[in-house]
Amino acid sequence: EIYTLSLHDALPILVDRIIGENSPEMIADVLKAFVANGVEVSEADLRTVPSREKKYISVNYTFTAQSREQVDAIYIALTKNPRIKWVI
């Protein structure tokens, strides 16, 4: 029997890479987007890497998503933020 893995089957683990301004406000905005959508996270849970010139910062966070809708809501909140340039 052949089994095909779908996106729904891949939940609940998701890894986000968020790239934006290298500022405390951007980190706070990332935390707010997750918390507002039911994900408990603290700044200590985030892995951050500044760009070579320190103008931008990449934020990585792995979390357990409860639904596709939750993932979509977090993505929308992040992409609407002017401090955040890319969400991968």
Side-chain angles (χ1 to χ4, degrees):
E1 180 177 329
I2 298 174
Y3 180 75
T4 304
L5 184 67
S6 72
L7 177 60
H8 180 72
D9 295 329
L11 292 174
I13 303 300
L14 180 78
V15 178
D16 257 343
R17 173 170 286 180
I18 303 144
I19 302 168
E21 297 173 4
N22 188 358
S23 70
E25 295 83 9
M26 198 282 277
I27 297 295
D29 292 345
V30 169
L31 293 170
K32 287 178 193 172
F34 281 101
V35 171
N37 288 288
V39 178
E40 292 185 30
V41 61
S42 72
E43 192 168 343
D45 297 325
L46 303 178
R47 188 174 74 89
T48 60
V49 178
S51 66
R52 189 174 310 147
E53 292 84 24
K54 310 260 188 276
K55 182 175 179 180
Y56 297 102
I57 193 165
S58 172
V59 179
N60 294 325
Y61 178 56
T62 301
F63 69 100
T64 302
Q66 301 304 311
S67 67
R68 179 66 196 188
E69 291 76 21
Q70 183 185 41
V71 173
D72 291 344
I74 292 168
Y75 180 82
I76 289 167
L78 292 169
T79 57
K80 284 185 175 181
N81 189 306
R83 289 187 187 98
I84 297 170
K85 306 303 179 194
W86 300 278
V87 180
I88 302 169

